[in-house]
Amino acid sequence: MDQPYASQFNFVCFCSQTVLLNQQSMADHIKKCLIYRQSSPFFQKFELLKIEKMQRQHLIALKSEFYVFIEKVDALLKAGEDRLNSSVQQAPSLYGSGSTFQQQLGNNNQIYQQQQSAYASKSIETDIFKSIRQLQKLEECNVCRKQVDADIITYFDHCITPICRPCLMKQIEKDAKTNIAFFCPNQQCRKEMTQQELIQLLGKEKQDQYATIMLARQFNLIKCSACSEQGAFEKGSSITVLKDPITNQQLQQKYVEHYLNNRFMCFNQKCRTEQCKECKAIPYHLGMTCEEYKIKKSSKCCRYCDQLIHKIQLNIPEALQDICQENECQEKAQYACNKILACKHPCPGFKNEQICSTCLNDQCCKGDQKGDDYCNICFVEGLKNAPIIQSKCGHIFHYTCILKRLDVKWNGPRIVFKFCLCPLCNSWLEFQPSQPQNLVNQYYILFQDVMKKSLDRLKYENRDKDDKVSKVGEPFYGKPQEYAMAIYCYYQCFKCKNPYFGGAKDCQRALEEGDKQYKPEELICANCCEVPVGETCQIHGKEYIEFKCKFCCQIAVWFCWGTTHFCEDCHKRQCSGDYVSKIPKEKLPKCPGKDKCPIKMDHKPNGEEQALGCAICRNQKASQQNF
């Protein structure tokens, strides 16, 4: 631009000031003109580079790029000058020769030169800024090999090759999922990115988030999704057999590996939530990968067995449409409530309940018991896997489990009422009007009968004066009713279903040690007993009929197991391990006859039961203290 002819032309700046069109004049003006720098496309792009924040090697690279750029500008300027000179020299002779022609040519040439200079100036200016914009706009990424906007190109200390931001972010996201550090995406480099480089790319906040992820992966740290407690994960080991929770079949190896690598229990002893390390699912999805679990959660599944429902039955109530057609689930559906709760979820309760049960859906359940918690009666399935019933104490159980518990009643011959107590808080079970509540009402009547009879016997035997009842500090002090229920055994008559006295609790222990097996039909009360009892007492009935010891010629003072009468001596032998109940009938002592017999009466051979009459009426209370 320092050619002599160029100095005679002017340049009009954005600020409207006229400047000589040469490099020195233009440079001096641009340094001082703020309007030019604000309006120039080149300066606008250049300011975006923020060279004051660049490192030395980047500045050197940028300066080298400018040299290349200047060479291209010089080439464009030279090409423009050549076109201008050529057009002037090759203008056709329209006026012939002579002085007039020369004068006219001079005038015309001056006008033409002015026009061409203005055109050349405008053309050169346009070409310059067009080249600037083109050079500033595109640059090739060394990773994807695409021409991209130079604004998204980055250089690193460890790798001065240009890399576009999309390639960098793609590599960062990839490393964030699997690695413990971030690496340069340039395959010839692959050096670890520094913290400062990551901050420049991501910002401080995002870099801190990624740093936390990397640190957790490096030391295998995981956080509980339920309580946020953090700890080091250890891969499971020594697993012999893992079974599918639905089919009960042994799991495939890929599911076993997923279990060992991802399933954990919260480190907080107060939480102990089972979950998946990878997808954060609660509880862990045994028998499925995280991808399979995600698909299943987004599909319609059976509320009981959790299997996909392929065809929804539209001819049944809406609340039952999320139950599949498998036999086991359909059996449960027979007990299920068919109402929709206010939260729009199907009621998990039982059929025909007056007050619907609380929702067990994860989004709604706010109580201590969750849908995935095991039923505290069967301990086989979660509460959500079958219709439920809620006691007035607030605890929830499977409806059919409660029915079965009340139907089975007590284990063994002795009447106990633990089955009527809540397994979680030991309060007497009480439900809204229902079949379980009807059964509970029946057992409460039986409970009151046993309490009355046991207390009457305690008073009859004068055991209400025992130290355990009358002495301060003893567990049953002032509680004769509880003491009576604790020391006496009562059985339910097989025939009349009424409770009757069957001995002391120590006898029950002796029975278990003697390994005597009971048959329900052996449990017969005195009123239904086929043993002849003579005349029924007009005052006391058969409740206190006295019997002979089954094994010798003594009056029985113990009635054990609901079937057998013992005298004091035989009872002690039985309790000490000398089981007289196992002695064959023919080897038992023979009665010496009525005159020499201790009970002074004829009776059946030892080994058989026989009644002797009412103990109270015979005034034998003193000798029956341990009846």
Side-chain angles (χ1 to χ4, degrees):
M1 293 182 65
D2 290 330
Q3 297 299 325
Y5 80 92
S7 61
Q8 55 185 306
F9 300 109
N10 298 327
F11 172 79
V12 180
C13 178
F14 295 107
C15 66
S16 301
Q17 182 177 344
T18 301
V19 184
L20 287 176
L21 191 60
N22 62 65
Q23 182 171 323
Q24 186 61 49
S25 298
M26 289 286 291
D28 292 341
H29 177 75
I30 290 172
K31 288 178 183 179
K32 298 182 295 180
C33 184
L34 179 62
I35 296 177
Y36 183 94
R37 293 199 299 273
Q38 291 176 343
S39 304
S40 167
F42 176 82
F43 269 92
Q44 290 177 7
K45 293 287 186 179
F46 186 77
E47 289 296 328
L48 293 176
L49 295 177
K50 297 181 178 180
I51 61 174
E52 63 274 4
K53 294 185 179 181
M54 287 187 176
Q55 298 178 2
R56 185 172 183 276
Q57 59 266 39
H58 296 165
L59 291 172
I60 294 173
L62 182 63
K63 185 175 181 180
S64 302
E65 292 174 1
F66 281 162
Y67 279 131
V68 174
F69 179 74
I70 290 171
E71 289 177 359
K72 288 188 177 182
V73 173
D74 285 343
L76 290 171
L77 288 173
K78 187 175 185 307
E81 293 169 2
D82 291 343
R83 286 196 303 271
L84 179 62
N85 292 334
S86 175
S87 61
V88 173
Q89 293 174 3
Q90 295 179 6
S93 178
L94 300 177
Y95 303 97
S97 57
S99 60
T100 304
F101 168 75
Q102 293 295 334
Q103 183 181 1
Q104 183 66 35
L105 179 60
N107 294 335
N108 289 342
N109 188 46
Q110 184 177 0
I111 296 172
Y112 182 76
Q113 281 186 345
Q114 292 176 353
Q115 293 174 344
Q116 289 298 321
S117 296
Y119 170 79
S121 175
K122 184 176 181 181
S123 175
I124 291 170
E125 178 186 353
T126 302
D127 289 346
I128 288 173
F129 287 115
K130 182 177 180 181
S131 300
I132 290 173
R133 287 193 295 270
Q134 185 66 24
L135 289 171
Q136 186 71 14
K137 183 177 181 181
L138 299 177
E139 193 165 350
E140 182 178 332
C141 171
N142 193 58
V143 177
C144 63
R145 298 299 178 184
K146 294 180 180 178
Q147 292 288 331
V148 298
D149 195 319
D151 290 344
I152 63 172
I153 288 292
T154 301
Y155 294 88
F156 291 118
D157 291 342
H158 57 263
C159 180
I160 61 172
T161 57
I163 304 173
C164 69
R165 183 175 292 272
C167 289
L168 286 168
M169 297 310 298
K170 184 177 180 180
Q171 182 64 41
I172 287 173
E173 291 176 4
K174 180 180 178 181
D175 289 338
K177 292 179 180 179
T178 57
N179 291 331
I180 60 174
F182 296 102
F183 299 94
C184 177
N186 182 3
Q187 294 300 321
Q188 283 72 40
C189 177
R190 295 301 293 161
K191 291 184 179 180
E192 183 177 342
M193 298 185 196
T194 66
Q195 180 180 3
Q196 189 60 36
E197 290 170 343
L198 290 169
I199 292 175
Q200 289 179 357
L201 282 171
L202 305 171
K204 186 68 168 63
E205 183 177 355
K206 192 69 175 177
Q207 192 274 334
D208 287 342
Q209 293 177 7
Y210 277 126
T212 302
I213 294 173
M214 292 299 191
L215 184 65
R217 182 176 292 119
Q218 181 179 1
F219 295 99
N220 220 0
L221 299 177
I222 51 177
K223 183 184 292 185
C224 173
S225 300
C227 70
S228 299
E229 183 78 9
Q230 196 172 44
F233 175 80
E234 293 184 8
K235 180 180 177 180
S237 60
S238 303
I239 298 297
T240 54
V241 176
L242 276 178
K243 293 187 177 180
D244 189 288
I246 305 301
T247 64
N248 204 35
Q249 300 295 319
Q250 188 169 345
L251 288 177
Q252 298 179 27
Q253 187 59 33
K254 68 174 183 178
Y255 297 128
V256 174
E257 286 296 323
H258 194 281
Y259 177 92
L260 299 178
N261 289 318
N262 293 285
R263 184 264 185 192
F264 76 99
M265 298 285 284
C266 177
F267 314 99
N268 186 346
Q269 293 299 322
K270 295 182 179 179
C271 179
R272 300 300 293 166
T273 301
E274 181 194 37
Q275 53 203 287
C276 177
K277 176 172 70 73
E278 185 67 23
C279 69
K280 314 302 181 186
I282 298 175
Y284 175 78
H285 42 83
L286 184 63
M288 290 179 284
T289 62
C290 295
E291 292 75 16
E292 292 171 343
Y293 177 72
K294 183 178 179 180
I295 294 173
K296 187 171 184 179
K297 289 293 286 184
S298 62
S299 305
K300 189 80 170 180
C301 298
C302 175
R303 73 163 93 160
Y304 294 146
C305 69
D306 209 30
Q307 295 300 303
L308 291 175
I309 298 177
H310 301 289
K311 185 177 180 181
I312 298 176
Q313 303 294 316
L314 300 177
N315 59 339
I316 60 176
E318 181 184 355
L320 303 179
Q321 290 179 6
D322 63 348
I323 302 175
C324 72
Q325 295 302 304
E326 291 294 325
N327 292 337
E328 184 177 351
C329 295
Q330 285 300 304
E331 288 177 4
K332 294 177 181 178
Q334 300 301 313
Y335 298 98
C337 179
N338 60 3
K339 300 172 186 175
I340 296 290
L341 300 176
C343 60
K344 307 303 181 183
H345 294 124
C347 175
F350 61 94
K351 189 175 182 180
N352 297 327
E353 60 183 348
Q354 294 182 5
I355 303 174
C356 281
S357 301
T358 182
C359 184
L360 293 180
N361 187 279
D362 293 340
Q363 301 172 355
C364 304
C365 188
K366 297 180 181 180
D368 293 333
Q369 289 179 280
K370 308 297 183 182
D372 291 316
D373 292 343
Y374 282 124
C375 168
N376 279 269
I377 296 177
C378 68
F379 290 98
V380 173
E381 293 181 310
L383 291 172
K384 69 179 182 181
N385 298 119
I388 62 170
I389 187 171
Q390 189 169 15
S391 174
K392 289 191 176 180
C393 65
H395 295 124
I396 303 171
F397 312 96
H398 289 153
Y399 179 78
T400 52
C401 289
I402 282 289
L403 282 177
K404 184 177 180 180
R405 179 183 177 90
L406 295 175
D407 183 58
V408 172
K409 302 181 291 189
W410 49 83
N411 294 321
R414 182 191 177 207
I415 298 175
V416 291
F417 293 95
K418 188 175 181 180
F419 72 99
C420 285
L421 304 180
C422 173
L424 294 173
C425 66
N426 280 329
S427 60
W428 189 270
L429 288 172
E430 188 176 359
F431 307 101
Q432 60 176 291
S434 58
Q435 179 61 20
Q437 184 57 40
N438 293 338
L439 293 173
V440 170
N441 291 340
Q442 295 176 21
Y443 294 130
Y444 189 71
I445 295 173
L446 179 65
F447 175 66
Q448 290 179 313
D449 194 8
V450 172
M451 284 199 302
K452 181 181 181 303
K453 289 182 176 180
S454 63
L455 185 59
D456 288 345
R457 180 164 289 275
L458 189 76
K459 293 177 179 178
Y460 165 68
E461 295 181 353
N462 283 331
R463 298 198 64 179
D464 56 339
K465 306 296 190 302
D466 285 0
D467 288 346
K468 291 184 178 180
V469 178
S470 59
K471 189 175 181 180
V472 177
E474 292 292 333
F476 293 102
Y477 173 71
K479 301 176 182 177
Q481 180 66 82
E482 293 183 20
Y483 182 56
M485 294 288 285
I487 66 173
Y488 292 137
C489 294
Y490 277 81
Y491 304 101
Q492 188 175 39
C493 178
F494 180 73
K495 292 184 177 181
C496 69
K497 306 303 179 184
N498 292 323
Y500 67 95
F501 176 70
K505 191 174 181 180
D506 288 342
C507 301
Q508 180 71 17
R509 188 179 301 113
L511 165 66
E512 294 167 356
E513 293 172 354
D515 196 27
K516 178 174 173 61
Q517 299 298 320
Y518 265 100
K519 297 179 181 178
E521 55 269 23
E522 291 180 340
L523 302 177
I524 306 296
C525 68
N527 286 321
C528 301
C529 184
E530 296 179 356
V531 177
V533 296
E535 293 183 3
T536 301
C537 178
Q538 298 299 317
I539 301 175
H540 306 101
K542 295 182 179 181
E543 182 70 19
Y544 297 101
I545 295 294
E546 192 171 62
F547 282 77
K548 180 189 78 69
C549 176
K550 184 176 181 179
F551 307 103
C552 70
C553 299
Q554 297 287 343
I555 294 176
V557 293
W558 293 93
F559 181 41
C560 302
W561 316 324
T563 58
T564 309
H565 291 88
F566 289 87
C567 66
E568 185 65 32
D569 291 338
C570 291
H571 186 263
K572 287 182 178 179
R573 289 178 61 188
Q574 182 76 17
C575 291
S576 65
D578 183 10
Y579 301 116
V580 294
S581 60
K582 293 186 177 183
I583 298 176
K585 182 179 178 180
E586 60 273 12
K587 293 185 178 181
L588 290 172
K590 306 298 181 181
C591 179
K594 180 178 180 180
D595 294 336
K596 296 181 180 181
C597 179
I599 59 176
K600 304 298 182 181
M601 63 179 292
D602 293 325
H603 56 79
K604 294 180 181 180
N606 292 331
E608 298 181 25
E609 290 282 345
Q610 182 169 353
L612 302 177
C614 179
I616 297 178
C617 294
R618 291 176 61 184
N619 198 22
Q620 302 234 341
K621 182 177 180 180
S623 63
Q624 300 298 315
Q625 295 302 306
N626 293 318
F627 186 84

